[in-house]
Amino acid sequence: MVDNIENRLTKLALKGDQRAFAEIVELYKDKIYHLAYRMLNNRHEAEDIVQETFLRVYRNLDRYDQNQKFSTWIYRIATNLCIDRLRKKKPTYSLDAEMNDQEGMDGYSMIPSDNRTPESEALLSETQQIIYQAIDSLPAKYKSVMILRYLQDLSLQEISDVLGMPVTTIKTRVHRGREFLRKKLEPKM
């Protein structure tokens, strides 16, 4: 269903239809923001990445290969922009990094449930915070894979397409990323 909408919008946008491009932006802006926020842990930088992603998509729409999923292409652009930004930043991997910038934290729900209590909410968000801090402390090559896999819910094949790496490499990075997280989280849980 989404693929059909994507294909229709992409074809219209390629013909210069501004409304179709606006719909593409609506469809993806939140997903790209959440991806960028999780990778960069900074609201302003995430907003910059969203703008830069759509600017690049608009400029390079004629280069889009319609044999691949549009979502794969746009995630690749956004992920590469985030990785570039991380490389330039040379972050120090600290578990305490930027946790004062918590907007967007509640955008994810790790444990969907209809019977949440304020106590379970508090515990959940505390647990989420610990998990997000641990993911944030990962080296960039694992961080991008873990975010795409567990926070964006992409399949191994989709991540392989987004990052332009073999599925075997993605599997290895997911495995190592999980090991890294387990070591970080065991003392805290």
Side-chain angles (χ1 to χ4, degrees):
M1 177 71 180
V2 173
D3 285 350
N4 291 342
I5 294 168
E6 274 182 8
N7 288 341
R8 184 178 57 78
L9 290 174
T10 309
K11 283 180 181 137
L12 289 170
L14 277 165
K15 291 177 186 163
D17 185 324
Q18 295 296 315
R19 277 188 313 212
F21 188 76
E23 277 188 61
I24 289 172
V25 171
E26 275 306 305
L27 208 57
Y28 284 100
K29 69 178 185 188
D30 290 344
K31 292 173 182 168
I32 299 300
Y33 174 81
H34 288 306
L35 169 70
Y37 182 83
R38 289 278 44 100
M39 285 188 74
L40 302 170
N41 204 17
N42 179 297
R43 195 182 57 211
H44 300 297
E45 287 193 10
E47 288 164 359
D48 287 351
I49 293 292
V50 171
Q51 287 182 343
E52 182 65 24
T53 298
F54 287 113
L55 200 60
R56 292 215 180 165
V57 166
Y58 188 76
R59 278 200 213 120
N60 298 303
L61 212 47
D62 55 332
R63 292 195 204 151
Y64 166 61
D65 173 3
Q66 293 184 26
N67 295 322
Q68 70 173 312
K69 285 174 71 174
F70 185 79
S71 59
T72 300
W73 186 60
I74 198 166
Y75 274 129
R76 179 182 298 146
I77 292 169
T79 303
N80 287 338
L81 286 168
C82 288
I83 290 169
D84 288 348
R85 184 87 45 121
L86 284 170
R87 280 193 191 118
K88 284 178 189 150
K89 238 170 55 167
K90 292 273 189 246
T92 54
Y93 294 112
S94 157
L95 282 176
D96 303 319
E98 303 243 6
M99 280 321 290
N100 55 342
D101 185 10
Q102 288 178 13
E103 277 187 50
M105 275 290 185
D106 54 358
Y108 304 99
S109 111
M110 303 292 269
I111 306 166
S113 158
D114 296 334
N115 54 355
R116 291 186 182 171
T117 63
E119 293 80 14
S120 70
E121 274 300 307
L123 274 174
L124 176 62
S125 68
E126 208 174 295
T127 305
Q128 283 175 306
Q129 246 180 339
I130 291 168
I131 291 167
Y132 293 148
Q133 285 176 321
I135 289 174
D136 193 49
S137 72
L138 290 171
K141 68 180 186 178
Y142 300 123
K143 186 176 185 177
S144 56
V145 169
M146 298 304 278
I147 288 169
L148 290 169
R149 181 76 184 107
Y150 295 107
L151 301 180
Q152 298 293 320
D153 211 22
L154 298 188
S155 71
L156 295 173
Q157 183 59 58
E158 287 171 323
I159 298 168
S160 162
D161 295 341
V162 167
L163 297 177
M165 295 176 185
V167 173
T168 51
T169 304
I170 302 301
K171 279 183 185 171
T172 301
R173 287 192 180 179
V174 166
H175 178 73
R176 289 189 182 145
R178 269 194 260 173
E179 287 301 305
F180 192 96
L181 286 177
R182 191 180 358 265
K183 285 180 187 145
K184 289 254 181 220
L185 293 172
E186 272 176 356
K188 294 182 179 292
M189 297 298 205

